[in-house]
Amino acid sequence: MPPRREPAAREPVLLDCHTPDTAVGSLAAASGRPAADLTEAIASVHIDQETITAETDTAIPRRVFARLGLTDDDFRFDGTCFFHGTRTLDPSGFHRDGILPLGHVLDRIWDDLHSLIQTRISPVAWRKHRTMVENGGGGHGGYLYRVKTERPTSHGGPYGFLVREHHTAPLEINHDYLAIPEIVEDIARTCDFDLQQIFGNTARPHVVKFRTTETSTHLLHSAFWYIHTALHGEKAGWYSLYAHDCRNTIVPPEDVLDVAPVEDVGPASPAIHSGGSVSGSACGTPGPADGPGRGLAPSDAR
């Protein structure tokens, strides 16, 4: 009697909004419906994105799926891909270490930033500057730095967007994580040396694709609206904007699927500094900043 053959392991079905084609393909794999039928049904919807409401955000996808004999529950995903955007000096670190929460990489971020200006400030003076920032100095940039670093469970990340395009063509309401991680921007705005400009010219933008086991109806509908805008030649909009928070937990290297450079993104404009300097600090004048983020090393974009 021939030996019994074990069934081949099924490939997990992941919601993947890397491109409109991968998004449609993943919906087809999860529902068992042909990609062409899904594309035709989604393209048949003609609506101005600005007229979508919280009610129609869910009602329209369900109505379109019903035409194909589907409900939300018929889309059986095993997980979801998310996209972490950053500007980094060490892209290989994501494959080596995974994507790390902010608290795991703070020392490395300060060390990496100092390496960019080490001919202009000594290690001792740089450590004194960090102490000053972490103890209430550094102006508004220092304040934003402390908001993120003093509450790691709230701001540790890592973070990622469902739709890759929200990094490469960010909405006006979003920080441009490929231009500069927010934590780097915060630190740069506490000192002089043109640190933000130096960092932007040295580091390179990358989008890191990673997988999770998260699934939800909200994710499904966000993917629907991403596909819809793409089929109608529009930029990914508000209703496809979904951010995932790993809640201060490492994304392990085995869940990092891709680390891709993005060559067409320029560095952020230099910050404007304001506020008083601290006596004995060689870092010049502390100053303002906006928003959350990070990424000198394999860290998250917030």
Side-chain angles (χ1 to χ4, degrees):
M1 185 176 183
R4 184 179 172 213
R5 298 177 65 183
E6 294 293 329
R10 182 179 70 88
E11 282 291 319
V13 178
L14 301 177
L15 179 57
D16 183 358
C17 293
H18 191 118
T19 67
D21 285 344
T22 63
V24 172
S26 60
L27 262 63
S31 66
R33 293 294 190 276
D37 291 356
L38 286 160
T39 299
E40 182 179 2
I42 296 172
S44 70
V45 176
H46 296 276
I47 186 171
D48 184 339
Q49 292 289 310
E50 295 186 2
T51 66
I52 299 172
T53 65
E55 181 180 344
T56 56
D57 171 35
T58 58
I60 290 175
R62 286 172 175 163
R63 194 155 59 234
V64 170
F65 296 152
R67 294 178 198 165
L68 300 173
L70 297 169
T71 68
D72 291 343
D73 292 337
D74 292 321
F75 291 86
R76 301 182 182 276
F77 290 102
D78 298 305
T80 301
C81 296
F82 290 100
F83 299 89
H84 169 79
T86 191
R87 198 174 191 93
T88 180
L89 297 170
D90 180 24
S92 65
F94 293 107
H95 283 306
R96 181 182 65 246
D97 304 324
I99 312 176
L100 306 178
L102 176 58
H104 291 238
V105 292
L106 261 185
D107 289 345
R108 194 183 309 178
I109 288 172
W110 280 94
D111 288 346
D112 285 348
L113 288 176
H114 180 251
S115 73
L116 301 177
I117 52 174
Q118 58 186 322
T119 61
R120 302 172 67 184
I121 179 172
S122 71
V124 172
W126 186 242
R127 285 194 295 272
K128 286 182 178 179
H129 180 71
R130 177 180 178 177
T131 299
M132 178 272 293
V133 170
E134 293 181 342
N135 284 279
H140 190 55
Y143 165 75
L144 291 174
Y145 172 90
R146 292 187 296 278
V147 166
K148 300 174 185 68
T149 58
E150 291 176 357
R151 294 183 292 171
T153 55
S154 299
H155 296 279
Y159 299 87
F161 286 141
L162 170 66
V163 175
R164 186 179 188 274
E165 185 183 323
H166 281 301
H167 283 301
T168 58
L171 298 175
E172 289 185 5
I173 61 169
N174 284 345
H175 180 82
D176 186 349
Y177 297 104
L178 299 183
I180 187 169
E182 284 177 317
I183 199 73
V184 173
E185 185 175 61
D186 296 342
I187 294 171
R189 287 176 170 179
T190 67
C191 61
D192 288 330
F193 307 123
D194 297 320
L195 182 55
Q196 182 169 319
Q197 188 68 38
I198 294 169
F199 171 81
N201 290 337
T202 308
R204 291 294 175 263
H206 285 73
V207 175
V208 185
K209 182 177 183 177
F210 64 99
R211 65 187 173 194
T212 71
T213 57
E214 182 179 351
T215 62
S216 72
T217 299
H218 190 178
L219 282 164
L220 173 64
H221 293 170
S222 297
F224 172 96
W225 287 114
Y226 168 54
I227 296 166
H228 179 269
T229 54
L231 291 174
H232 288 273
E234 300 173 4
K235 177 180 176 178
W238 172 258
Y239 286 97
S240 64
L241 182 61
Y242 184 106
H244 174 75
D245 181 359
C246 295
R247 300 185 181 279
N248 206 36
T249 301
I250 297 171
V251 175
E254 58 268 26
D255 287 338
V256 173
L257 303 179
D258 186 42
V259 180
V262 182
E263 298 299 342
D264 57 346
V265 176
S269 299
I272 298 173
H273 304 280
S274 66
S277 61
V278 176
S279 176
S281 169
C283 289
T285 310
D290 295 299
R294 152 184 83 273
L296 284 179
S299 59
D300 133 80
R302 187 176 178 185

